[in-house]
Amino acid sequence: MSVSPPLPLLKRVPPGLWTALVWCTAAVAPVVEYVLMPPRAGYSLSYPRDGLAPLGARLLLLLAFGLVLAGCALLRRRTTVAYALVVAGTVVSTLAWRQDEIPPTQFLGVSVALGHVAAVRPRRTSLAWAGGTLAVLACYPVLRWVSGPDSGTAPEPLVALTLAVAWLVGHSVHQARAHTEELYARAAAQAVTAERLRIAREMHDTVAHSIGIIALQAGAAARIVDTRPDAAKEAMRTVERTGRETLSGLRRLLGALRQADQDRDQGQDQERDRARRSGADGSALRPAAGLADLERLAAATTAAGVRVDVRWRGTSRPLPAEVDLAAFRIVQEAVTNVVRHSGAGSCRVSVEHRRDELAVEVRDRGSGGAAGTETGYGLAGMRERAALLGGDFRAGPCPGGGFLVTARLPLPADAHTETETRTTAG
């Protein structure tokens, strides 16, 4: 079992504790310096020595501490409510000192809390709270202007600057976290795809082995059904049992894949949106029956701005379903990569029916590469499809420019034999 390394000490401190430490330090310092310590020659206009003399001022200061500490305790669970409490406590502290401005040091705690809000909440929410805080700051110079002329230097611009810096830092953390989560999601999707391919390969080997057993047992039963009927019955029972087990395994696999596809619908919708924005028609990405839909794919892609020229070679004949679908998927993914990444205005698709194999080729004259790391099939998916059928797949830049994708898919021996028999009979 892998053990995650412990977080650094600074990251293990909750954000509410940081806010409380900064705010309380700034709030206690003037009490100690200007109230508890012996009088000195210097004095402060913001913190007069008799500022906390009235009982009401002391109660207000205690209320300010209570509001801020309550906000710090709730900062992780109820971020916006906690932030409002911190701002309210800061304003109350100025009422306790009978101040007509907020000292910058006292507002550092609010800046720390705002940074946390920007880090964990959406940008619109954090901007709204930052704007509300700036509106509170704007009230202080307005009150000073109403009460009389003010010849001092206003601290509000400096406080607003610290708020802006805190929001920018928090928003940067928010974006970094979102990017990290996206990377984790992509890695998880790739792991799921790799696992599904591994299961498909294992099931492919299992089905091939089972079909071999069925063929052998059925052939043996046909040869001995007249001379040894009991042995023939046992062979047919083996055929039935093997077929049922294989069918049950296929049903389980297809059920799991179907459920996984349903869970990934939301992510696929986002991928389709990106494809539409890049110029590919969504109809070109929908499932199809096989090469019979290649003309529809070409027409849809051409209508989207990339002309697709389809060329057919050889004698067309019915293809096994798995070969037909694999060939279409390879062409579909290659054309989609041309639209998204090559920058070419056209591409050429060649489909050649040979005696014992089907060859497909997609060539463009663009300057971009292929999407080997994109979500979806990509080059790895096309190569996997060809390999599962025992074929060959190649993709790479052309010597004269552009990109070339080729695939050769072998046809089962009975496929071309059956075609030759039909031709002879005709």
Side-chain angles (χ1 to χ4, degrees), residues 24-38 47-49 52 58 61 65 93 96-97 106:
C24 291
T25 301
V28 172
V31 176
V32 174
E33 183 176 359
Y34 298 110
V35 177
L36 300 181
M37 296 293 292
Y47 299 99
R49 178 164 296 276
L52 296 180
R58 299 178 183 180
L61 187 60
F65 272 95
S93 68
W97 285 99
Q106 190 64 50

Side-chain angles (χ1 to χ4, degrees), residues 229-305:
D230 293 339
K233 290 181 180 179
E234 182 62 28
M236 294 309 298
R237 293 191 186 97
T238 302
V239 170
E240 179 184 9
R241 182 175 61 255
T242 304
R244 290 183 181 277
E245 291 176 354
T246 304
L247 182 60
S248 177
L250 283 173
R251 285 175 176 172
R252 288 194 298 269
L253 173 63
L254 294 177
L257 295 180
R258 187 177 296 111
Q259 180 63 37
D261 288 337
Q262 293 174 356
D263 295 340
R264 294 173 60 186
D265 280 346
Q266 184 176 0
Q268 290 173 348
D269 290 341
Q270 185 178 2
E271 176 66 19
R272 293 190 187 99
D273 291 339
R274 288 197 294 266
R276 293 190 187 98
R277 288 194 296 269
S278 65
D281 191 343
S283 60
L285 301 177
R286 288 195 293 266
L291 291 176
D293 283 347
L294 187 55
E295 297 293 343
R296 180 186 62 81
L297 173 65
T301 309
T302 301

Side-chain angles (χ1 to χ4, degrees), residues 35 63-64 67 70 89 91 146 163 181-182 217 227 242 330 349 371 393:
V35 177
L63 176 61
L67 290 174
V91 173
V146 172
L163 282 174
E181 291 175 359
E182 182 180 0
Q217 294 293 335
T227 58
T242 304
I330 291 174
V349 177
F393 174 84

Side-chain angles (χ1 to χ4, degrees), residues 91-117:
V91 173
V92 172
S93 68
T94 62
L95 298 178
W97 285 99
R98 290 175 289 178
Q99 296 169 331
D100 57 0
E101 62 183 29
I102 296 182
T105 56
Q106 190 64 50
F107 223 74
L108 289 178
V110 177
S111 299
V112 174
L114 179 61
H116 177 70
V117 173

Side-chain angles (χ1 to χ4, degrees), residues 136-188:
V136 172
L137 283 177
C139 294
Y140 283 87
V142 171
L143 291 176
R144 290 198 303 270
W145 179 76
V146 172
S147 60
D150 183 16
S151 60
T153 302
E156 284 77 19
L158 176 60
V159 176
L161 179 61
T162 60
L163 282 174
V165 171
W167 185 89
L168 290 174
V169 172
H171 184 60
S172 299
V173 173
H174 179 80
Q175 289 183 317
R177 289 176 179 174
H179 181 64
T180 302
E181 291 175 359
E182 182 180 0
L183 292 180
Y184 281 139
R186 289 183 180 181

